[in-house]
Amino acid sequence: MMKQILSVFQREVRFLIATPLAWFCMVAAPLLTALFFTTFMWQGLPTGMPIGVVDEDNTSTTRQLLRTLNSMQQTDISAQYADISEARRAMQRGEIYAFFYIPRGTTSLANQQKQPVVSFYTNYSYLVAGSLSMRDMRMMSELASGAAARKLLLARGATEQQAMAFLQPIVIETHPIGNPTLNYNVYLSNTLLPGILGIFIMMMAVFAIGMEIKNGTAGEWLGKAGGNIHVALIGKLLPQTIIFLLTSALMVIWLYGYMAFPCMCGPWVMMGLLSVFVIASQCLGVFMICMLPSLRLGLSFASLWGVLSFSICGMSYPLMAMDAPLQGLALLFPLRHYFILYVNSALDGYPVMNAWPYLLMLAAFCLLPLLCGWWLKSQLLRVKYVP
């Protein structure tokens, strides 16, 4: 059996050497993707996003308010406009993400102990930019309100301590766990990059087997393995496994070594989890080409399933808030189980076995070729390639 595996292994290595596209998908594309995303979000959060201002009051108080807003890290007051219509057109042209509107008489109403109204408009077509700009402008308006109330209380004879106790009777301390700096790079890259890697892994497994069907060489491939489909699959996928594991190791070194992302479990544990994820994705790719024994349909299946995994893994929207059928469907995506294991081990610092059901589910994907191997063998011997 070892001779047969080695024979198929050598045959697959020759195929990969003669296929530059395979090397692009296994090495270049995943590493370039990792480099792109991590450097694109190098600062953690977008900074200096342009916003506009419509200051109809134009007093020393409102100018101080705007200077404070401009000093915030995420926002940069890039222009002042004469009226709302002009600012709205600038936002529609994409020149600014938001604008802050201070109507005439704001300072006077505040001094008369009335309730002036300031407004801010954000473009939520750009979700991150819109939400961050909204947060800064909202914080600024609350600070301005507090400053006006503090000035009034001090004028009425209250001490500084009494004024602050009235304005903020309960002081709130926030301690974000796992990502204390609220770094978007940590939040996104640790799931996006394995997810993109998983797409390439599934597509390469489908591509390697689908090319046997397309070229009519499936009989030769099985012959090298002595007619044993499992030996044939091990020999064919083993070169890809080795290359993808090396690519994963470089990603781990980049993320947790050079980028110093939070990793309470250590890089060796993350490498182990990624290794299981690689093999699980390969076995799922085998299942895909088994169900759709066509190179075109199999690749479409793999790419669609991989893209859907970003939405259903729980990274951006909690799975518990989804409908019950979607919660069940999420079990069929390896990225979902890897994501929970990553959070459990790298962010929370718990032992891997604390999330053993998800590790078991990843291992279950590795059994798919054993269940569908006989069907794949029959498909390889009788299916004819249709362009």
Side-chain angles (χ1 to χ4, degrees), residues 194-236:
I196 293 171
L197 180 67
I199 294 176
F200 285 118
I201 293 170
M202 290 185 287
M203 292 183 69
M204 277 302 302
V206 170
F207 175 74
I209 299 173
M211 287 298 291
E212 301 286 358
I213 299 174
K214 178 181 178 180
N215 297 331
T217 56
E220 176 192 340
W221 171 38
L222 288 173
K224 290 275 188 181
N228 188 324
I229 185 62
H230 299 115
V231 171
L233 287 173
I234 292 173
K236 175 168 281 293

Side-chain angles (χ1 to χ4, degrees), residues 58-376:
N58 196 26
T59 63
S60 59
T61 301
T62 59
R63 288 194 293 272
Q64 177 61 39
L65 175 68
L66 296 179
R67 281 194 296 270
T68 306
L69 176 61
N70 194 42
S71 67
M72 292 186 172
Q73 187 177 12
Q74 269 74 50
T75 55
D76 174 39
I77 298 178
S78 60
Q80 294 201 17
Y81 302 97
D83 52 41
I84 291 180
S85 297
E86 186 180 346
R88 176 178 57 82
R89 286 192 293 269
M91 192 162 65
Q92 289 174 332
R93 290 193 299 267
E95 297 174 0
I96 55 175
Y97 291 115
F99 67 88
F100 195 82
Y101 172 58
I102 305 176
R104 184 174 288 105
T106 297
T107 304
S108 176
L109 290 174
N111 292 335
Q112 295 173 31
Q113 305 175 24
K114 296 182 180 180
Q115 288 185 315
V117 177
V118 296
S119 305
F120 33 90
Y121 301 81
T122 57
N123 187 353
Y124 262 87
S125 299
Y126 307 96
L127 181 60
V128 173
S131 60
L132 291 177
S133 301
M134 179 80 161
R135 186 189 68 179
D136 279 2
M137 291 188 294
R138 184 185 183 93
M139 182 186 299
M140 194 63 254
S141 64
E142 291 172 352
L143 290 175
S145 175
R150 174 179 169 276
K151 183 178 180 181
L152 176 62
L153 290 170
L154 293 177
R156 290 182 173 180
T159 64
E160 180 73 21
Q161 185 177 2
Q162 291 172 333
M164 293 307 298
F166 177 79
L167 294 173
Q168 193 177 19
I170 299 176
V171 178
I172 300 174
E173 290 187 6
T174 58
H175 300 278
I177 298 174
N179 187 9
T181 59
L182 301 179
N183 189 328
Y184 270 45
N185 208 350
V186 172
Y187 163 61
L188 291 173
S189 295
N190 280 288
T191 310
L192 278 177
L193 300 184
I196 293 171
L197 180 67
I199 294 176
F200 285 118
I201 293 170
M202 290 185 287
M203 292 183 69
M204 277 302 302
V206 170
F207 175 74
I209 299 173
M211 287 298 291
E212 301 286 358
I213 299 174
K214 178 181 178 180
N215 297 331
T217 56
E220 176 192 340
W221 171 38
L222 288 173
K224 290 275 188 181
N228 188 324
I229 185 62
H230 299 115
V231 171
L233 287 173
I234 292 173
K236 175 168 281 293
L237 297 180
L238 189 55
Q240 294 185 27
T241 305
I242 295 172
I243 296 170
F244 276 122
L245 289 180
L246 292 174
T247 302
S248 301
L250 291 175
M251 290 177 61
V252 168
I253 293 171
W254 176 257
L255 292 177
Y256 306 112
Y258 184 77
M259 298 293 296
F261 284 176
C263 186
M264 298 183 66
C265 61
W268 286 109
V269 173
M270 291 308 302
M271 187 62 221
L273 294 177
L274 262 179
S275 300
V276 180
F277 174 73
V278 167
I279 298 173
S281 300
Q282 280 188 308
C283 294
L284 182 58
V286 172
F287 179 78
M288 290 172 174
I289 191 65
C290 180
M291 294 297 101
L292 295 173
S294 163
L295 184 60
R296 172 170 49 86
L297 295 178
L299 289 174
S300 299
F301 188 7
S303 58
L304 175 62
W305 204 254
V307 170
L308 286 176
S309 64
F310 293 113
S311 302
I312 207 168
C313 73
M315 171 190 68
S316 57
Y317 189 80
L319 187 67
M320 64 185 72
M322 299 182 188
D323 294 335
L326 293 178
Q327 295 184 28
L329 183 64
L331 298 175
L332 305 179
F333 292 82
L335 185 61
R336 165 63 183 171
H337 308 296
Y338 172 81
F339 172 69
I340 296 298
L341 289 166
Y342 155 71
V343 172
N344 172 83
S345 302
L347 297 186
D348 295 340
Y350 295 125
V352 173
M353 295 312 296
N354 184 68
W356 67 265
Y358 299 96
L359 188 62
L360 189 63
M361 285 299 301
L362 272 184
F365 282 100
C366 302
L367 301 178
L368 286 176
L370 297 177
L371 301 177
C372 66
W374 63 273
W375 175 251
L376 176 61

